Every structure is written in structure tokens, then in C-alpha cells.
Amino acid sequence: GAVVSQHPSRVICKSGTSVKIECRSLDFQATTMFWYRQFPKQSLMLMATSNEGSKATYEQGVEKDKFLINHASLTLSTLTVTSAHPEDSSFYICSANPGQGYYGYTFGSGTRLTVV
Amino acid sequence: KQEVTQIPAALSVPEGENLVLNCSFTDSAIYNLQWFRQDPGKGLTSLLLIQSSQREQTSGRLNASLDKSSGRSTLYIAASQPGDSATYLCAVLNQGGKLIFGQGTELSVKP
């Protein structure tokens, strides 16, 4: 079936540094991928839509200069958290839709970011 | 603005019970509704997808229904097992092409 691979699963970084998270579609091409953020005991909030070969579309209230998204190929999207601060600590999940109508959305395994 | 609500927020049942999780949404103009399972610290696993033209979908001990006109969906789990313990999320794909999630129901099945 359609698989989305996300890496790393956990990362700890110091305040002020940048962290890159990768999201890959392993057996299908994804012109669009989605990045979500999840706080403890809360639901997923859409941060941005990643578009292959063009700029990402950010949701209201999401700082595009802090959360840089690159979708350089049909199977890879990256999210870079720049100048990370402790309040950026969260669970980040990517998603893609394999298409063909009936699969729905497939999610990566998530990345737990802790900024110290 | 689409809002998705899940009731209850948490549920604890003894093993073997049948149970129902509820999901409601405010805007009936959706493409589909999807139920997911999330284990602690993990990503989402898709359980069932119901297209807007469908009424229900079944997979093993799971059955999901959709009443688009009333903005409701239910996830029925038969003969619950401890391994079913997880958070269950419903999400609707709205006509803007965005997946809107509910807050989830945290299920605990006690042996």
C-alpha cells in the first residue's frame, strides 16, 4: 500500500539552531504534501501545504520564515524549523494522498521535536 | 468554517465490549470522512474511508457509518480488545481540499 516515510522520529536541538524534517512518499508520487503540528492531547493542526516545484501554502498564523518548506521532487518534502525555540517543541506529522480516489490520506510516523 | 467534534473525549471499557465512537461536523459539503488510529507518540494509521456518497464501510471488527445530511459519523468497534487501546481521530476532507480533524477519542480497553 501507499507509504509515507518521515525522518527523524525524534530530535533534540538547542535553542537557536535549525532542524530539518524529511517526508518521503515511498511508492507513489505526491505533487502535494501536508505538514501538521500536534500538541499533547490535542488534534492535528494543518500548518502548510507543500507543492512540488512551487511555493508552499501556509495556514493563517503560521510563520513561513520560521517553518521553511521545500518540495523539490515528487517524492520528497522537507520542513525546516529555523532558529528553534522551546515553544516550537511539538509533534510534527506529514501526509500525502496517493490518489486514485479511495485511498484517503496517508501519514508519516511523525517527528517529536524537543528544543532545549 | 468546518468544525469537527468527537464525543466522548475519553472512554474506558472492559475487554469484549462493543463500543461506538461519535464524530460530528458542521458543514455537510465534504468529499469524504476518514477514521484514523493514533498510538502514543506515533503517526496516524488509516482505518476506514467513507466517500460522501457512501453510507458505511466495514473492515474486520470496525464499521464506520456516515450521515452527511446530519453531519454525523460513528465508528463501531465490536468485541473490543486491549490492543484496540489508542486515540481515534475522525477527519473530513472539505471542499477546499483540506483535512479537518476532530480532537480525538482516547480509548482504553481493560483486560
Side-chain angles (χ1 to χ4, degrees):
Chain A
V3 176
V4 171
S5 173
Q6 189 171 341
H7 179 81
S9 57
R10 289 180 178 271
V11 59
I12 301 173
C13 70
K14 293 183 178 180
S15 289
T17 62
S18 296
V19 174
K20 181 184 285 187
I21 303 170
E22 292 188 349
C23 181
R24 294 180 184 273
S25 56
L26 295 188
D27 46 6
F28 66 97
Q29 294 183 335
T31 55
T32 304
M33 290 185 176
F34 305 87
W35 288 95
Y36 293 82
R37 182 173 182 175
Q38 185 179 32
F39 291 102
K41 300 291 186 181
Q42 295 189 26
S43 191
L44 280 72
M45 299 299 296
L46 180 65
M47 298 175 64
T49 302
S50 170
N51 303 299
E52 187 268 335
S54 64
K55 292 182 180 180
T57 306
Y58 290 82
E59 295 300 301
Q60 191 172 10
V62 177
E63 300 177 59
K64 58 183 178 182
D65 293 333
K66 165 164 274 297
F67 299 101
L68 298 180
I69 290 173
N70 183 276
H71 195 151
S73 78
L74 287 171
T75 59
L76 174 64
S77 174
T78 60
L79 169 68
T80 302
V81 183
T82 64
S83 186
H85 288 97
E87 57 265 32
D88 298 325
S89 298
S90 191
F91 193 59
Y92 295 87
I93 312 178
C94 67
S95 169
N97 190 329
Q100 302 183 26
Y102 287 82
Y103 285 127
Y105 284 77
T106 300
F107 283 76
S109 55
T111 298
R112 168 69 61 193
L113 170 63
T114 303
V115 185
V116 298
Chain B
K1 178 186 174 185
Q2 177 75 271
E3 292 183 0
V4 181
T5 304
Q6 289 186 247
I7 295 174
L11 180 64
S12 181
V13 301
E15 181 177 6
E17 267 202 13
N18 302 326
L19 58 100
V20 175
L21 307 181
N22 297 290
C23 173
S24 61
F25 46 97
T26 55
D27 186 350
S28 62
I30 63 170
Y31 284 125
N32 60 49
L33 183 145
Q34 201 164 353
W35 281 94
F36 296 90
R37 168 185 173 139
Q38 185 177 30
D39 292 289
K42 303 294 184 182
L44 274 64
T45 300
S46 180
L47 298 174
L48 289 165
L49 170 71
I50 311 177
Q51 299 292 346
S52 61
S53 59
Q54 297 174 324
R55 299 283 291 184
E56 66 176 342
Q57 284 287 329
T58 298
S59 175
R61 293 183 293 109
L62 306 179
N63 175 278
S65 69
L66 174 63
D67 184 342
K68 199 174 74 162
S69 61
S70 67
R72 295 182 182 180
S73 175
T74 61
L75 178 66
Y76 175 82
I77 302 177
S80 59
Q81 303 171 358
D84 295 331
S85 298
T87 296
Y88 290 81
L89 294 158
C90 76
V92 298
L93 182 64
N94 70 11
Q95 300 217 331
K98 295 180 182 177
L99 206 56
I100 310 297
F101 283 84
Q103 299 281 65
T105 294
E106 189 173 352
L107 173 65
S108 175
V109 181
K110 304 294 187 184

